[in-house]
Amino acid sequence: MDDTLTRDLFEEEGDDENIAPIESHASQAYLSYAVSTVKARALPEVADGLKPVQRRILFAMHAAGSQGFAKCARYVGEVLGKYHPHGDASTYEAMVHLAQPFSMRYPLIEGQGNFGSRDGDSAAAYRYTEARLARYAELMLSEIDEGTVDFQKNYDGKFDEPVLLPARLPFGLLNGSFGIPVGFSTRIPSHNLGEVARAAIAVIRDPKIGVDDILALMPGPDYPGGGQIISRPDELRAAYESGRGSITMRARWTVEQLARGQWQIVVTELPHTTSARQVQEEIQALVEPKPPAGRKDVSPEQKRTRQFILDLIESVRDESDRKSRLRLVIEPRSSRQSVEETIAALLVHTSLETKIPLNMTWIGLDGLPDQKGIVAILREWAEFRLATVRRRTEFRLKKCEDRLHIVEGRIEAFAHIDEIIKVIRACEDVASARAALMARWKFTERQAQDICDLRLGQLTRLDGIKLNDERKSLEVERDEYNRVLGSDRALRAVVVKELEHDARKYGDPRRSAIESAERASIEHSVVEEPVSVIVSRRGWIRARNGHGIDMSTVSFKDGDERFVEVECKTTDQMVLLGQSGKTYTLAVASLPTGRGDGVPVNTLVASDRDAIAWIGAGDAHTLLLIHTSAGNGFVCKLGDMVSRMRAGKEFLSVPQGAHVLPALRLWRADSPPKGSDGYWVAALSSDERLLLFPLTDVPTRSNGGLGVALLALPPGVQLASLAVTDGRTLTVSGERRGRMIEEVLGAPALHDHMGKRAQRGRVLDVRLKAPRLIALSYE
């Protein structure tokens, strides 16, 4: 094991205090332990839903045996000294997280003192706070001493710690989890206990159950702070089926009517991870904007937004207290303005409406991290739970048989008690008495030792009756354990019964309402007029009224030149594709007009130094063929590229050393041209090899990505040009003797270049310098 690797892993986690132990404990076992712990530190297990530090904290508190509250410093020291040789700050932080009711849907630790707030306030130091295990921790630890899970040695081999905790419910789904360990990330939402229990029961009864049946029982997340989930059912289904997606949440509010027709908005529930302080700071940032990085003044968009918010909002104050968990009051500028318009503006411009990522990456029962769908998660947990109940039953059966063995020996001894007393009194010591009992009455060694250890007070007739009753009870108990172990159906019935009991005992009503709704938007009335959007080589953008503009009359700044222009309407959304693969969206109506040079694109969107590779506008259902010079590509709709964020969204994966080529516009997805099923993609490489393959071989990727290989390219060769053809003609343009020439290739010539996607293609024989393909017109 490499010491440097271990040091790098600890440093990446931000835990410098671990470097010294590595140097002082240089054993191979310690280093292996350290690396495996760091790599998996932020990923929960499917079995118990815990990260290693959380598991060690709960086990240490259980092992301490304290009934009431105890100083957190005591538990932190216990965890560090015995199980978790890392920093005390990170351990205490994990302990605080387990006790925060606004972070954990079902807190496993009950805290006393200052354990932080939803607004981001830190907890008090561990010497001031106290804690004890919460009632929900019973679901984690009640079976820890019944042989249900394996134990392993701690980091120095002096103590034993559990590999997993025998969770009676899928706590990974109940409390959720988040983290970014080395090479992975996870964001698991919390859920309602009763709903998860019902879903787990359904999976145990029918392991082949589908995602739709699961979502009928467990329709979505249930966050500690409530809020409203407005994601559509199909979005939730896709996220839970794949284990990746996003949840759209919205705050919940009421409108309070005041005297003289006044009113105010009172927010009572916020989306998960959003705080009242955050909303106040966002509104403050809107009314007091700061110039973007590298700029001296705020952008026109910031000025418009500032005035828009000032016209709507008078003040925002947080009136939350112990009686009212959350009360964020927003006063309007005027009582005559629309409530709906005010709320819509707040939802659009603040975190009162937000998207929460969902990424269900776990460490499975095989010990490997993987992204899992909800059905796979519940099946794997059910497998774990069935295994723990089987082990618990085996443990209890052995304990029952051991006791029954002792009781049977005592009953036999009770029948011959006078003779046994004489034999024992005649022996010199316990060993000889034990041997005499074993020889005469065939007692086992354990039975004989138990008889020797009996007190005289246990030889009464009443005790004899109790022994017979206990034997009958133990025999019934033994038969029941054997029945459960001998039948998979009986074992599953036991697990189902326990889940139903736990759901009744610990379940509570849902807090987050699931009510599908469209995301909030603000509509501005815009007159529909034809315009031409012009972008220069250096990224300056402007709009000119009308179509068919003579570009020779358009001037540019010194050193700049024409790059691209698009004819569209003032009501359109303009999509910009950057060389980084990000897409940005601008309202055409918001672009500067007139005879000026326009404004830099990066003042309207947060593109920074991201050069614009392509712009497009028009029908959102228009199909596009997106591709890069590395020869990868896919089909998507123009609407798929729209981004609501000023910073854009990651859409196209651009391989290192490649660049984005202008998108190829096709046709509307719902009205393809006649015969388009027989269209071909023509791909031309920089070494002038041409390949034609069916357009249907290119997949549609609504979420973007890398795409598929369109053309096989050796090192140093790039994709130069792309076009779509009907297979009968293809126009190629290029330079010949100083003039631009266009040549039309017919069907016989194209047939020689037809093949399958991702092939190399054949050399194009047109004798043109720097040939380019001209796209087919679909009008």
Side-chain angles (χ1 to χ4, degrees):
M1 181 69 65
D2 184 2
D3 289 358
T4 305
L5 169 62
T6 310
R7 188 187 308 276
D8 290 344
L9 286 171
F10 278 122
E11 289 175 347
E12 188 163 350
E13 289 289 322
D15 197 356
D16 296 334
E17 298 177 44
N18 294 287
I19 297 177
I22 291 174
E23 295 171 350
S24 59
H25 301 272
S27 67
Q28 184 77 16
Y30 183 89
L31 292 176
S32 299
Y33 164 88
V35 172
S36 62
T37 299
V38 171
K39 284 187 175 180
R41 191 188 302 178
L43 281 182
E45 298 268 1
V46 168
D48 58 11
L50 297 175
K51 305 170 188 176
V53 63
Q54 296 172 329
R55 188 177 303 113
R56 289 164 180 160
I57 289 170
L58 293 175
F59 179 68
M61 294 180 71
H62 170 76
S66 178
Q67 296 299 317
F69 288 98
K71 286 290 185 182
C72 292
R74 170 190 174 185
Y75 293 128
V76 171
E78 192 80 2
V79 173
L80 296 183
K82 290 184 176 180
Y83 311 113
H84 197 72
H86 302 288
D88 61 337
S90 60
T91 301
Y92 181 54
E93 183 181 348
M95 186 176 183
V96 168
H97 180 74
L98 290 173
Q100 290 176 332
F102 51 85
S103 297
M104 305 287 285
R105 182 64 176 82
Y106 300 96
L108 298 172
I109 293 176
E110 184 180 350
Q112 188 167 270
N114 176 14
F115 275 78
S117 71
R118 185 170 185 164
D119 285 331
D121 298 316
S122 300
Y126 52 57
R127 60 184 177 274
Y128 300 121
T129 56
E130 297 181 347
R132 67 181 179 186
L133 289 174
R135 61 190 293 262
Y136 296 110
E138 180 186 353
L139 295 169
M140 280 281 193
L141 298 161
S142 62
E143 301 172 358
I144 190 71
D145 300 319
E146 296 189 272
T148 49
V149 292
D150 295 327
F151 279 71
Q152 64 184 3
K153 289 295 180 182
N154 70 331
Y155 64 93
D156 60 2
K158 294 180 180 179
F159 300 95
D160 292 326
E161 62 172 322
V163 177
L164 298 168
L165 294 185
R168 282 157 45 186
L169 284 166
F171 266 89
L173 290 174
L174 296 184
N175 281 326
S177 184
F178 70 93
I180 307 176
V182 181
F184 299 96
S185 65
T186 187
R187 190 86 186 194
I188 302 165
S190 57
H191 296 81
N192 182 268
L193 189 148
E195 295 174 357
V196 171
R198 288 193 290 273
I201 289 171
V203 170
I204 291 171
R205 286 175 172 166
D206 180 13
K208 296 182 180 180
I209 195 170
V211 64
D212 292 323
D213 297 320
I214 293 295
L215 293 180
L217 300 169
M218 189 185 75
D222 187 23
Y223 292 104
Q228 178 185 350
I229 297 171
I230 64 171
S231 298
R232 299 193 310 271
D234 60 307
E235 293 176 335
L236 291 172
R237 187 190 186 284
Y240 277 103
E241 185 175 31
S242 64
R244 189 178 186 88
S246 61
I247 307 295
T248 306
M249 287 201 73
R250 177 182 290 175
R252 304 188 78 180
W253 64 86
T254 59
V255 178
E256 293 185 353
Q257 300 297 329
L258 306 176
R260 296 186 297 276
Q262 301 294 318
W263 53 269
Q264 63 185 15
I265 301 169
V266 179
V267 179
T268 55
E269 295 178 11
L270 289 170
H272 189 55
T273 72
T274 299
S275 67
R277 181 182 298 173
Q278 178 184 346
V279 174
Q280 288 177 294
E281 290 174 350
E282 289 172 344
I283 295 175
Q284 185 70 18
L286 291 171
V287 298
E288 296 180 5
K290 295 181 180 179
R295 303 290 172 186
K296 295 182 179 180
D297 195 10
V298 296
S299 67
E301 180 65 25
Q302 288 177 298
K303 292 178 180 178
R304 285 193 293 269
T305 303
R306 175 182 181 275
Q307 191 58 47
F308 178 65
I309 296 297
L310 287 174
D311 290 342
L312 291 175
I313 307 300
E314 175 67 28
S315 67
V316 181
R317 62 181 183 275
D318 185 6
E319 296 183 353
S320 304
D321 54 26
R322 290 185 179 273
K323 294 181 181 179
S324 174
R325 291 199 308 171
L326 176 66
R327 181 179 170 85
L328 183 64
V329 180
I330 302 171
E331 291 186 352
R333 175 69 68 177
S334 169
S335 61
R336 292 185 295 275
Q337 67 193 50
S338 167
V339 175
E340 290 75 18
E341 182 182 348
T342 305
I343 291 175
L346 291 168
L347 294 177
V348 169
H349 291 289
T350 70
S351 297
L352 290 176
E353 182 175 292
T354 186
K355 275 195 172 185
I356 301 173
L358 182 147
N359 180 9
M360 296 197 286
T361 300
W362 310 69
I363 294 178
L365 296 181
D366 56 3
L368 299 176
D370 192 17
Q371 191 176 90
K372 303 175 186 290
I374 188 64
V375 177
I377 293 167
L378 288 170
R379 284 175 183 163
E380 200 160 332
W381 181 85
E383 179 185 344
F384 167 76
R385 183 57 184 159
L386 289 168
T388 57
V389 172
R390 178 178 292 278
R391 291 179 61 166
R392 184 194 68 190
T393 307
E394 291 171 348
F395 176 87
R396 291 178 178 177
L397 174 61
K398 184 177 183 304
K399 188 176 179 180
C400 175
E401 289 177 337
D402 288 346
R403 178 60 183 170
L404 182 60
H405 183 64
I406 295 298
V407 169
E408 288 174 341
R410 289 187 179 186
I411 291 174
E412 179 69 18
F414 195 82
H416 307 282
I417 191 63
D418 294 333
E419 296 176 66
I420 287 175
I421 291 174
K422 290 179 181 179
V423 169
I424 293 175
R425 290 189 64 184
C427 295
E428 294 184 357
D429 53 27
V430 175
S432 59
R434 186 171 59 238
L437 293 175
M438 293 170 61
R440 182 167 179 180
W441 285 284
K442 306 299 180 183
F443 288 124
T444 65
E445 186 175 354
R446 288 194 60 214
Q447 288 175 327
Q449 182 64 48
D450 177 71
I451 292 169
C452 291
D453 294 339
L454 277 175
R455 293 180 292 107
L456 290 176
Q458 294 177 272
L459 302 179
T460 64
R461 180 176 298 178
L462 181 60
D463 278 295
I465 297 173
K466 287 181 179 179
L467 286 173
N468 276 300
D469 291 342
E470 185 179 359
R471 182 185 63 179
K472 292 177 183 178
S473 174
L474 289 171
E475 287 175 345
V476 171
E477 191 176 340
R478 179 193 60 189
D479 293 342
E480 176 63 19
Y481 290 147
N482 283 323
R483 184 186 71 84
V484 171
L485 292 173
S487 168
D488 181 69
R489 170 181 261 179
L491 180 66
R492 291 177 182 271
V494 170
V495 175
V496 167
K497 185 177 180 180
E498 291 177 354
L499 283 170
E500 290 173 341
H501 172 267
D502 290 338
R504 287 193 299 270
K505 182 177 180 181
Y506 296 97
D508 63 346
R510 165 175 278 277
R511 297 180 187 177
S512 298
I514 301 180
E515 301 171 5
S516 299
E518 293 295 326
R519 294 207 65 176
S521 61
I522 302 174
E523 295 184 359
H524 300 283
S525 56
V526 177
V527 179
E528 183 177 310
E529 295 178 342
V531 292
S532 298
V533 177
I534 304 168
V535 180
S536 73
R537 182 70 61 183
R538 291 188 173 179
W540 286 67
I541 190 169
R542 54 188 144 165
R544 286 283 187 89
N545 293 328
H547 290 170
I549 292 177
D550 182 3
M551 292 303 297
S552 63
T553 65
V554 178
S555 62
F556 297 89
K557 285 182 172 292
D558 292 342
D560 204 357
E561 60 181 349
R562 166 190 177 188
F563 173 54
V564 66
E565 62 276 349
V566 173
E567 294 183 346
C568 53
K569 299 176 182 177
T570 51
T571 53
D572 287 339
Q573 294 269 41
M574 176 66 62
V575 175
L576 299 89
L577 176 61
Q579 286 294 349
S580 66
K582 276 188 171 184
T583 60
Y584 310 91
T585 305
L586 287 171
V588 173
S590 67
L591 298 177
T593 58
R595 294 288 175 177
D597 296 319
V599 296
V601 169
N602 58 13
T603 64
L604 303 178
V605 295
S607 60
D608 196 19
R609 298 176 183 271
D610 192 6
I612 302 302
W614 174 85
I615 64 171
D619 196 320
H621 296 282
T622 301
L623 293 177
L624 303 170
L625 181 50
I626 308 295
H627 53 290
T628 70
S629 62
N632 300 97
F634 56 87
V635 173
C636 69
K637 295 178 183 177
L638 180 63
D640 297 333
M641 303 172 70
V642 172
S643 169
R644 291 191 58 190
M645 304 299 292
R646 188 172 181 272
K649 71 174 180 179
E650 302 284 351
F651 189 74
L652 173 63
S653 298
V654 185
Q656 187 174 3
H659 59 272
V660 181
L661 296 175
L664 193 63
R665 185 181 289 265
L666 301 178
W667 46 77
R668 272 184 60 93
D670 55 357
S671 57
K674 186 176 181 181
S676 61
D677 289 343
Y679 277 19
W680 299 74
V681 176
L684 180 65
S685 64
S686 58
D687 60 351
E688 300 184 9
R689 283 180 174 266
L690 178 66
L691 173 68
L692 271 71
F693 58 88
L695 176 60
T696 53
D697 288 352
V698 184
T700 299
R701 300 279 173 84
S702 59
N703 292 324
L706 179 63
V708 297
L710 306 176
L711 183 67
L713 299 172
V717 178
Q718 295 183 329
L719 177 63
S721 185
L722 204 69
V724 172
T725 173
D726 55 8
R728 295 190 294 271
T729 60
L730 176 64
T731 303
V732 183
S733 69
E735 185 179 343
R736 181 187 296 165
R737 297 178 182 176
R739 294 190 303 164
M740 293 301 297
I741 302 294
E742 290 186 358
E743 285 197 10
V744 179
L745 302 180
L750 295 179
H751 185 269
D752 293 338
H753 296 275
M754 291 180 177
K756 297 182 178 179
R757 180 181 61 77
Q759 289 182 338
R760 184 74 177 91
R762 300 182 64 179
V763 175
L764 178 63
D765 185 17
V766 292
R767 297 182 182 180
L768 293 175
K769 186 177 180 180
R772 289 290 183 271
L773 306 179
I774 298 179
L776 181 70
S777 175
Y778 316 110
E779 300 299 331

